[in-house]
Amino acid sequence: MATLFQLVYISTAREDLAPDACQSIVEEARGRNAGLQITGLLLFNGKRFLQALEGEEADVRNVYRLIEADPRHHGLVIIGETPLEKREFSQWSMAFAQGRTDDLPGKVDAFLGDAGTSTRDLFMTSAKLYRGASTGLEL
Ligand SMILES: Cc1cc2nc3c(=O)[nH]c(=O)nc-3n(C[C@H](O)[C@H](O)[C@H](O)COP(=O)(O)O)c2cc1C
């Protein structure tokens, strides 16, 4: 029987990533994910990506291998690998939240309806670490 599985990782965006690069990433992601019934959430906080991928375990691992080789980011670290009873992001082939101002936590919150406490905490923490020009935070 196919196992429903979720993988979560963080990575660092390439320094010179064009501002509109995320749009292409999300379009590519949605195209492939829809065909494989992979769902999830991608957050970009200005410097780091945080992504949850969920679906059949072999499919999730295959897509992760492609993502890992993508030169638009580096330093990937898997921070969660868990079997799931039900999807946390069932409605999105890849939901996407990116901050421009300090509204990122609100945007992320809108996608977390079905997510458990640990997933919610993880995404909200990352959203709050938005690297705005005014914060001076080095994440
Ligand atoms: C942060 C990030 C997240 C990505 N997420 C996905 C994803 O969820 N699904 C997917 O198919 N591709 C995703 N991609 C894009 C793939 O890495 C890319 O399509 C893959 O390298 C294959 O490229 P190709 O279509 O040119 O062969 C992501 C890329 C980045 C940088």
Side-chain angles (χ1 to χ4, degrees), residues 12 45-48 126 128-131 135-139:
T12 305
N45 70 10
K47 179 161 188 183
R48 307 227 192 266
S126 189
K128 286 175 188 156
L129 294 174
Y130 168 67
R131 191 187 184 224
T135 68
L137 272 179
E138 258 310 312
L139 310 177

Side-chain angles (χ1 to χ4, degrees), residues 9 11 17 24-26 28-33 36 38 42-43 49-53 63-73 93-94:
Y9 74 86
S11 68
L17 196 73
S24 337
I25 290 173
V26 171
E28 287 167 32
R30 287 180 179 155
R32 189 180 290 108
N33 294 356
L36 293 169
I38 287 178
L42 175 66
L43 166 66
F49 290 105
L50 168 65
Q51 186 173 29
L53 294 158
V63 167
Y64 178 73
R65 269 191 283 274
L66 289 177
I67 296 173
E68 200 177 19
D70 195 316
R72 291 171 289 189
H73 62 167
S93 53
M94 191 47 63

